[in-house]
Each structure stands twice: as structure tokens, then as C-alpha cells.
Amino acid sequence: MNKKGWLAGCGFVLCSLAHAQSSSLTLWGQVDSGLTYISNKKGGSTIGTASGIGSPTRWGLQGKEDLGQHYTALFALESGFNINTGTLIKPNTLFDRQAYVGIDSPYGALTLGRQSDLMDDVAIRYSNAFWNRNLYAFHAGNLDSLTNGYQIENAVKYKSPNMAGFRVGGMYGFAGSDATGHTAGGFATYDNGPLSAGVTYMTTKRRTLDMYTYFGFTSFLGQTLSSSKTFQSDEVNNLGIGLTYQLTEPLLVNALFTRTDIKGASASTHVDNQDVGLLYRFTPAEAVTLNYTYSRMASDHWNTIEAGNLYSLSKRTQIQVTLTYQKASGNGATAATYPNGNSSSQSQLLAHVGVTHSF
């Protein structure tokens, strides 16, 4: 090999090494399990193990590559599973939570693939369930899509850069997953000092809702339901408006309002949820929470009180002790905590002790 060829070869190797050093791949995850007592679940009390109550049990891969000029290629693959059984949360779907690729730039991030609903991206962080670290504190049926149990397939999502505390974004999803029609929506947030606030709106055509499992309804908006027949909507629209405010160094307050409009072929209804909560941090390792949620659909009402103690054994390991009590009222209404489904009475009490480890 001549001198010029040798120098060119060395230059190619050095450029390749520099290029390799500008990319990264991260394997990460969380495992969560505990014991839950439910006073009344479809007619009787139960006690047993429960996975993903304090935090979703999941693992994932994240990667990025510096493209230069402040552009970055990125991807994420995220899979949810039940640690007590080892089974996937969604059968036959390995990366059920997210699977996307995209570009981040000075003008914002654009991603394509299976992605979380904007209600889960934005509105969730103002909810009682988020701060209480308690899956049972999410609203009945997850109709407002606050948990990552409802993903948008074939989706394009955009998130702007930070503009003096403001961010905006939107997404469009083609038909797939739990909807045979398209999904579209947008959000705006403001984060500055002790205040965080946001508004989110999503609309989905032809979304299916399991009103039988989560509420015990055998008919809904003119459709007959069963364990094998879900409700087929014409359209489901979600609005979320929320905020958090750090009143003092140890005390944080949160508030959230969500409205879900459900349209059937010949009738429609809506569900309103209102959260308000407090988190008080005794030490950097320990916090207590107290929350109240009011939910209403037509003449049915649900009042829910949640309390918890969150203690971090380390940066990666946390123990949660939570209590959730729900009282329903209305013509035939029963308690219906998520994701347990309906009680045979108007009340449900849940006690949970769990541990979450992150890696």
C-alpha cells in the first residue's frame, strides 16, 4: 500500500471511530410487583400478587446518533409484561408500549411508529395516579387514555423545542390498534419555576371501548355488550387540562380535569373526571400523598380517595404503600376502580404494598 493510500485508510478508520463514539444504545427497564387486597371485585374479596401497580413493568431499548449541526437520529422500543407470570401485557405484540424512529433537531422532534397517546404524554403528569404512584387511582375504564394502555399505531408525532417555557406538539395516527379510524390531536405546555401547566386534546374515529369489563355494562348507547363484545364508538374525544404547583420546598399540589365525549351511532354521552392532590416530602427519600377524584357519567357518580406513602430505599428501588377507596352513587351505579372492573356494590377498598426497581 502506498503512503497516500495508508493515510487515507487511517483517516477512514479514525472517522469511523469518531462516528461510533457519537452514538449510544441504552437498555433500561422497571420491574414492579406487590400484594393487593380488594374488598369487592365482581362479587367477592380478593388478595394476591399484582404487577405494574406502582409503575409499569417494562423493558426497552433507546438509541441515538449525533448527525451533526444539532440533528440527532433516535429510536425507542418498549415492551410491557407481567413480572408475576412473565407474559406480555398485549399478546402477540412484543413492543406494545412504543416502537418508533425519528429525528430530533433545533426545530423539534419528529417520530414515526407505534406511540403513546398525547393524553399519556402530557395530561398524566398532572393526575393523582401519577403522583400517588398508584395504578388503581386512574379513572375507571381508562377512557381518557391517561395510562399507556392505549397506543396509537402508524402514528406521526411532533414535539417542539422549549420556547421560554412553552412547548407545543401534535400527532396523527392512521387506522390501527384499538381504532379502525384515524386519531389526531395536539398539546401545549408551560413549565417555569414552581408552575407546570398543560392542555391536551385527542380525537379518535371508530375506537372500541370495553365497557362490560370495566363497568359491568351489558348495554351502552344502544349496543348490547358482553365479555366477548366490546362497544364500537363512532368517535371518542378527550380533553385534559391540568397543573402542578410547588407551594413550598416539600409541598406540591396537582389538579387535573379530563372530559371524554363518547359518540355512538344514535346516542352519545360524556365522562368528566376531576383530580386534586397533595404530595408532601418529609425527606428526599420519603413522601406522603393524599388525593381526591370525582367522576361523573350521566346520572352515575364516583368519589375516590387515595392515600400513599412512598419510600425510596435507593435511587433505583422504591416501596409504595397505598390505600384507595371508591364510593359510587346513581341509578344502579357500582364502584369500578381501574383496571379491576366493577364491584357488586357501590364501594370498593383497595390496599396495596409493592416494590419497584429500575435498571
Side-chain angles (χ1 to χ4, degrees):
M1 179 182 293
N2 61 36
K3 186 175 181 180
K4 289 184 178 179
W6 184 82
L7 290 173
C10 288
F12 176 81
V13 171
L14 290 174
C15 287
S16 297
L17 289 174
H19 189 68
Q21 290 174 348
S22 66
S23 63
S24 66
L25 177 66
T26 303
L27 170 66
W28 68 279
Q30 290 180 319
V31 286
D32 176 280
S33 186
L35 292 173
T36 295
Y37 165 79
I38 305 177
S39 64
N40 190 315
K41 181 179 179 179
K42 298 187 183 297
S45 63
T46 65
I47 185 169
T49 58
S51 175
I53 305 305
S55 184
T57 297
R58 51 190 166 157
W59 72 277
L61 294 168
Q62 292 180 338
K64 62 181 180 180
E65 180 186 23
D66 186 356
L67 302 175
Q69 303 297 317
H70 305 291
Y71 283 79
T72 303
L74 54 88
F75 81 90
L77 304 172
E78 186 178 338
S79 176
F81 64 98
N82 185 322
I83 192 176
N84 295 319
T85 63
T87 56
L88 295 173
I89 294 298
K90 188 161 187 171
N92 304 316
T93 306
L94 177 57
F95 297 112
D96 65 307
R97 293 180 61 84
Q98 296 204 87
Y100 64 78
V101 65
I103 300 290
D104 194 6
S105 76
Y107 307 102
L110 183 69
T111 51
L112 301 93
R114 180 183 176 92
Q115 302 181 72
S116 57
D117 188 296
L118 292 179
M119 293 291 287
D120 176 72
D121 281 354
V122 178
I124 185 178
R125 62 184 177 133
Y126 308 114
S127 71
N128 288 341
F130 178 85
W131 292 102
N132 195 241
R133 294 294 297 275
N134 181 6
L135 183 69
Y136 302 136
F138 281 109
H139 308 138
N142 191 35
L143 302 179
D144 51 14
S145 305
L146 291 183
T147 77
N148 202 11
Y150 179 67
Q151 294 79 20
I152 312 301
E153 292 185 355
N154 307 303
V156 181
K157 181 184 291 186
Y158 168 77
K159 294 182 179 180
S160 78
N162 189 323
M163 301 173 289
F166 288 96
R167 288 183 187 270
V168 296
M171 75 180 300
Y172 184 91
F174 298 89
S177 190
D178 298 318
T180 57
H182 70 264
T183 297
F187 75 88
T189 60
Y190 178 73
D191 295 276
N192 187 15
L195 174 66
S196 174
V199 58
T200 311
Y201 182 80
M202 295 291 297
T203 180
T204 303
K205 305 293 185 181
R206 304 288 296 168
R207 178 180 169 184
T208 59
L209 301 173
D210 194 347
M211 306 300 287
Y212 177 85
T213 298
Y214 292 121
F215 293 92
F217 294 164
T218 55
S219 65
F220 185 71
L221 298 184
Q223 296 183 31
T224 301
L225 308 178
S226 67
S227 58
S228 59
K229 183 173 175 55
T230 56
F231 173 77
Q232 177 64 68
S233 73
D234 278 8
E235 183 176 300
V236 176
N237 301 322
N238 272 316
L239 171 68
I241 304 172
L243 64 84
T244 61
Y245 194 84
Q246 193 80 46
L247 286 173
T248 64
E249 184 62 30
L251 181 60
L252 178 141
V253 299
N254 67 277
L256 173 68
F257 169 80
T258 70
R259 180 185 175 102
T260 302
D261 290 308
I262 306 171
K263 299 180 180 180
S266 58
S268 63
T269 189
H270 67 270
V271 183
D272 291 342
N273 299 287
Q274 300 169 51
D275 289 7
V276 61
L278 301 171
L279 181 145
Y280 187 87
R281 193 168 293 282
F282 289 110
T283 68
E286 184 175 17
V288 294
T289 60
L290 182 62
N291 314 105
Y292 169 72
T293 300
Y294 171 72
S295 302
R296 178 175 64 90
M297 177 166 55
S299 61
D300 294 343
H301 307 261
W302 294 269
N303 291 275
T304 309
I305 299 174
E306 309 107 23
N309 183 277
L310 313 176
Y311 188 81
S312 297
L313 300 175
S314 69
K315 290 183 178 180
R316 295 187 174 186
T317 305
Q318 184 186 66
I319 293 175
Q320 311 97 21
V321 180
T322 57
L323 288 173
T324 306
Y325 176 77
Q326 185 176 96
K327 179 72 173 180
S329 61
N331 185 20
T334 62
T337 57
Y338 182 80
N340 304 296
N342 62 301
S343 165
S344 61
S345 68
Q346 290 188 324
S347 63
Q348 260 183 348
L349 173 67
L350 301 93
H352 179 78
V353 179
V355 58
T356 302
H357 177 74
S358 302
F359 61 89

